[in-house]
Amino acid sequence: MRIVLNGDCMETADGATVETLLQQLGISRERVAVELNADIVPKAGYEKQLLSDDDKIEIVQFVGGG
């Protein structure tokens, strides 16, 4: 299926969840926030939140430093 990730179109498997998308991208769930169609997805829901064709996803990674 086709989704829009951080403004860029990409393909992911049918039946993908937020968790499987993060795994596909090699991103650890601990230091990110995920927005799906303008709604924040709680970390507890990453494994259950199914993605659909044309969903718009924003992933923000938190970086420490000073």
Side-chain angles (χ1 to χ4, degrees), residues 38-54:
D39 292 320
I40 298 292
V41 179
K43 285 190 189 304
Y46 285 7
E47 294 172 356
K48 297 176 188 164
Q49 182 62 61
L50 291 172
L51 302 178
S52 299
D53 209 29
D54 294 322

Side-chain angles (χ1 to χ4, degrees), residues 5-56:
L5 175 64
N6 292 349
D8 295 322
C9 291
M10 73 169 283
E11 293 287 327
T12 192
D14 290 341
T17 63
V18 169
E19 182 72 23
T20 59
L21 176 63
L22 291 174
Q23 290 172 357
Q24 177 183 348
L25 297 170
I27 297 173
S28 173
R29 70 190 326 246
E30 279 70 38
R31 298 185 61 94
V32 298
V34 178
E35 183 181 275
L36 174 62
N37 299 322
D39 292 320
I40 298 292
V41 179
K43 285 190 189 304
Y46 285 7
E47 294 172 356
K48 297 176 188 164
Q49 182 62 61
L50 291 172
L51 302 178
S52 299
D53 209 29
D54 294 322
D55 273 348
K56 291 173 181 57

